[in-house]
Amino acid sequence: MALLRTRDVSKKFGGVTALNEVDITVADKEIVGLLGPNGAGKTTLFNVISGFLKADNGRILFEENEIQHLLPYERVAIGIGRTFQHVKLFRDLTVYDNLLVAQHRHLSSGSFAAMLRLPGWRRDEKDARDRVEAILDQVNLRPWAEARPGELSYGTTRFLELACVLSLQPKVLLLDEPASGIQQKEVEALGPMLKRIRDENNCAILLIEHDMSLLLNTAERIYALDFGKVIAEGTPDEVTHNDQVLESYLGRTRRDSVA
Amino acid sequence: MSATATDTAELGLTPEAPASRPRSFIPTRNQLLGLAGLAVISLLPVPFGDFGFFVGQYAAVYAMIALSIVILTGYGGLISVMQYSFAGVGAIITGVAMASWGWPFWIALPLAALATVPVAAVVGMIAVRLKGFYLAIATLTFANALGETLFRWERVTGGQSGWLVERPAIGSLSFASDVPFYLLCLGVVLLLVWMMDGLRTSRIGRAMLAVKDNELEAQALGINVFKTKLAAFVISGIVAGIGGSFLAVLLTSVTPTAFQSPFSEFTSIVLLSLVVIGGINRAIGAFFGAITLVVTQQVFAGAECFYSFVAVYSAAVLILFVLFRPGGLVEVGQRLGALVRWKPVVGIAVILVVLGINIGGSFFFVNAC
């Protein structure tokens, strides 16, 4: 069953076409890769799916429901989680509090309950802290619990961001270049890790990645984008042997010869 | 998720880890120290007798209004220069209810608090679409608009002379004189500080801190930014309204001129800067800020030359705080407390030097004037 589908999604910035009638499908628990040169529209597609940008036209379907009118936080609530190309996080909050903020959607007590320390608030806070404690151990972030994101290595902030997004219990996880800025040794471990994240959280993953070996070894299916258009779709093997893909991204590029 | 544990270990992330700072959920000793400090501050007026309590009640009431700034700006990151106008709404409603309708204070108070809700909601709905500088300018014009309409409307404000109100009583227990009224206001402001401190460690309070820090990330983690900012506006409006209501009975009269332009904007800005000195990130910072305000305004206002010195000194302190101690007096207190616990002799010596410079400097300038 298709979990997430985009239908004829287009987006223009000024005169530039960032997305041109993009149709992609992500099935339940599938790992799908997005391939394409810089400016192909991959991140724009993420922004449109997660609600940070409004598409000019086209539909976005999640579990067969149209969601293009939903706000970002509403899309989180139905199960769409995303990371950013440049890790954001909350710079003034500790690692612990970053993870605590990520528990937001699992909590329900109101502000008055908190002001008066009512039992509902106590229960909520205890649950949230218990979950954060568990996550700290699971992702080995405990030594940094009281540190702020700025004090961590870039790779570690990526894991923190991932832990935050996984706290949302998404059905589909949109990962925007998870390997960028981390060491090659760490990148090699990332592929198996993403597969395990998928297996243990029962979520699909839509992956933007410039590291070719990571993308080809992890994704089960790949869409190749160029100039905002899907130019190829298929298994990693099919896509890497597609002439258009070779020309636009992998091989002797059209752009080089023009330049 | 458990698989990620092994992965991060494999990735060699653990060896660089800094020493873990233990996290305690029952910091009884610190809490006791905090309570002791609070008790000392609460008893500050005692050595100064009647004058001390007279000033103390101003500090307590201004602390309520300042607390509204902690919620809105300290928690929510929204800059408003109209918080005194919200207090004005509370004060005017208290005046109308008590003087015109003959209601007792204890019923006028919740009405005054609730009356700020529609105002805060309307302002909030417009304001949440603005950021930083533009938000500040918008609230400035809202304060001006309220100052030129609501606070000039004679039927609401009681005209130039305003409303005369009496200080409250519970049965035979009267809060008319300064000492019981100080204790009442102190109790209320500490209750409000305690409540707002609880808010900070809750779903909605953390959402405010998150939105202040990074709106995009907050949205990505499922936070409704609009609702969060609106909640900050409404809760801070209610708190300011309560402060305004107490201000009315503190002064025993509600004079509309205090809330008209440009006085209300001026007072709002002064309160904002003093909350920064007190500590804008924590509820108790409002209390410290208000004490600083009344000490400079009430105690030293008589001595002209000395007041000039205080103004320059305050400016210097504010700049130094913004640059080096953005957490204000709260942060300074926390650091000094940590120092005392780490090296008691050095810590107490530093505290004495800081107090000595301030008190000695004051005496020097008072005499020099």
Side-chain angles (χ1 to χ4, degrees):
Chain A
M1 186 194 100
L3 178 68
L4 174 73
R5 282 198 292 171
T6 66
R7 285 289 167 265
D8 301 327
V9 167
S10 297
K11 177 76 192 171
K12 276 186 182 172
F13 295 114
V16 182
T17 304
L19 294 174
N20 188 1
E21 298 180 349
V22 171
D23 281 6
I24 67 158
T25 303
V26 180
D28 257 345
K29 292 163 207 159
E30 189 184 20
I31 300 182
V32 177
L34 286 180
L35 177 70
N38 289 326
K42 305 183 296 296
T43 298
T44 305
L45 184 61
F46 265 27
N47 286 334
V48 167
I49 294 172
S50 56
F52 285 84
L53 275 178
K54 261 199 149 37
D56 297 335
N57 43 50
R59 293 179 301 150
I60 301 157
L61 296 143
F62 188 76
E63 296 181 320
E64 307 302 328
N65 299 313
E66 291 197 13
I67 59 158
Q68 61 267 20
H69 56 279
L70 296 183
L71 292 166
Y73 79 91
E74 294 171 315
R75 299 193 199 195
V76 171
I78 60 171
I80 300 177
R82 73 164 293 177
T83 64
F84 293 92
Q85 194 172 347
H86 304 286
V87 177
K88 299 205 183 301
L89 296 167
F90 304 112
R91 300 281 148 182
D92 292 338
L93 302 185
T94 61
V95 167
Y96 192 97
D97 287 343
N98 268 275
L99 289 165
L100 212 45
V101 171
Q103 300 298 323
H104 185 82
R105 65 168 291 222
H106 304 305
L107 307 178
S108 56
S109 64
S111 43
F112 210 63
M115 290 179 199
L116 299 179
R117 275 75 161 173
L118 297 180
W121 168 80
R122 282 179 194 282
R123 224 177 299 122
D124 249 12
E125 286 301 295
K126 192 182 175 304
D127 289 351
R129 281 164 204 277
D130 285 349
R131 274 197 291 263
V132 169
E133 295 284 333
I135 294 167
L136 282 176
D137 288 330
Q138 281 167 2
V139 296
N140 276 2
L141 282 169
R142 181 168 297 283
W144 293 278
E146 296 300 309
R148 277 159 230 280
E151 298 162 0
L152 308 178
S153 75
Y154 194 75
T156 312
T157 61
R158 281 235 174 258
F159 287 109
L160 173 59
E161 190 192 30
L162 201 54
C164 285
V165 179
L166 285 172
S167 301
L168 306 173
Q169 296 174 352
K171 291 174 185 158
V172 62
L173 194 55
L174 314 182
L175 301 178
D176 199 345
E177 296 193 34
S180 87
I182 64 177
Q183 300 162 21
Q184 192 54 40
K185 190 176 69 140
E186 299 176 348
V187 173
E188 281 158 24
L190 200 57
M193 180 177 154
L194 291 181
K195 284 184 178 167
R196 259 178 285 178
I197 284 176
R198 183 264 310 267
D199 293 340
E200 281 167 26
N201 294 273
N202 286 316
C203 63
I205 294 177
L206 186 57
L207 179 67
I208 296 177
E209 188 47 68
H210 274 302
D211 186 289
M212 283 307 288
S213 70
L214 174 62
L215 187 71
L216 297 178
N217 290 326
T218 314
E220 292 149 353
R221 216 152 47 78
I222 288 177
Y223 288 95
L225 268 72
D226 199 14
F227 295 113
K229 227 177 156 49
V230 176
I231 55 170
E233 186 247 316
T235 63
D237 209 41
E238 288 165 5
V239 169
T240 48
H241 289 94
N242 180 296
D243 283 346
Q244 246 187 309
V245 176
L246 284 173
E247 196 178 291
S248 78
Y249 189 60
L250 299 169
R252 321 139 297 269
T253 69
R254 184 175 55 200
R255 277 193 203 84
D256 283 347
S257 52
V258 170
Chain B
M1 284 288 293
S2 63
T4 53
T6 44
D7 280 314
T8 42
E10 279 165 23
L11 299 177
L13 292 168
T14 28
E16 309 159 27
S20 167
R21 274 161 274 180
R23 186 182 184 88
S24 169
F25 290 105
I26 30 166
T28 42
R29 201 178 145 200
N30 288 359
Q31 277 181 342
L32 282 176
L33 275 175
L35 281 178
L38 224 51
V40 170
I41 292 167
S42 304
L43 293 172
L44 266 185
V46 176
F48 302 98
D50 289 347
F51 182 65
F53 289 103
F54 173 77
V55 174
Q57 53 190 1
Y58 275 88
V61 169
Y62 277 122
M64 297 177 202
I65 306 170
L67 185 57
S68 80
I69 298 173
V70 169
I71 300 153
L72 192 64
T73 313
Y75 291 5
L78 302 160
I79 300 170
S80 156
V81 284
M82 65 173 298
Q83 292 311 102
Y84 199 64
S85 302
F86 286 127
V89 173
I92 296 282
I93 296 294
T94 306
V96 176
M98 288 178 75
S100 190
W101 306 339
W103 288 16
F105 174 70
W106 304 111
I107 305 177
L109 172 66
L111 179 74
L114 288 178
T116 60
V117 173
V119 184
V122 169
V123 168
M125 272 191 263
I126 302 164
V128 294
R129 294 179 166 82
L130 305 169
K131 280 197 182 120
F133 170 70
Y134 296 98
L135 175 61
I137 293 298
T139 57
L140 189 68
T141 57
F142 290 146
N144 184 53
L146 275 176
E148 298 296 345
T149 55
L150 182 68
F151 300 129
R152 284 193 192 279
W153 186 6
E154 296 216 341
R155 283 198 30 208
V156 176
T157 60
Q160 275 305 307
S161 54
W163 305 108
L164 289 179
V165 291
E166 275 178 18
R167 289 194 178 177
I170 302 174
S172 58
L173 174 63
S174 166
F175 295 101
S177 57
D178 287 352
V179 177
F181 191 72
Y182 166 71
L183 292 173
L184 172 69
C185 293
L186 182 71
V188 170
V189 74
L190 291 181
L191 176 68
L192 287 174
V193 164
W194 178 75
M195 287 170 75
M196 295 311 143
D197 216 40
L199 178 70
R200 199 173 188 276
T201 51
S202 74
R203 180 178 189 268
I204 188 82
R206 276 192 300 269
M208 289 178 193
L209 297 176
V211 166
K212 173 174 78 166
D213 201 314
N214 190 327
E215 258 183 51
L216 279 183
E217 180 73 24
Q219 282 179 298
L221 294 181
I223 291 168
N224 182 344
V225 172
F226 177 80
K227 201 174 136 193
T228 303
K229 287 183 175 179
L230 201 58
F233 253 104
V234 170
I235 295 172
S236 95
I238 291 173
V239 171
I242 293 172
S245 196
F246 275 95
L247 184 65
V249 284
L250 164 70
L251 302 168
T252 62
S253 71
V254 186
T255 39
T257 42
F259 306 110
Q260 287 167 2
S261 285
F263 305 110
S264 72
E265 291 99 308
F266 171 74
T267 311
S268 292
I269 293 168
V270 168
L271 281 170
L272 183 61
S273 63
L274 280 143
V275 174
V276 171
I277 290 181
I280 200 160
N281 296 319
R282 300 306 295 263
I284 195 71
F287 193 59
F288 294 157
I291 293 170
T292 314
L293 174 71
V294 294
V295 167
T296 50
Q297 257 192 2
Q298 303 276 343
V299 180
F300 300 128
E304 278 297 317
C305 149
F306 186 74
Y307 195 60
S308 313
F309 159 71
V310 169
V312 174
Y313 181 69
S314 310
V317 167
L318 182 74
I319 300 289
L320 288 174
F321 272 29
V322 169
L323 282 175
F324 302 111
R325 293 287 178 269
L329 286 171
V330 174
E331 192 186 340
V332 172
Q334 284 169 340
R335 279 169 183 263
L336 284 177
L339 187 61
V340 168
R341 258 167 287 145
W342 182 45
K343 283 185 174 171
V345 180
V346 179
I348 290 167
V350 169
I351 291 175
L352 288 177
V353 168
V354 170
L355 283 178
I357 290 173
N358 281 277
I359 297 170
S362 305
F363 274 110
F364 174 78
F365 275 95
V366 165
N367 289 329
C369 282

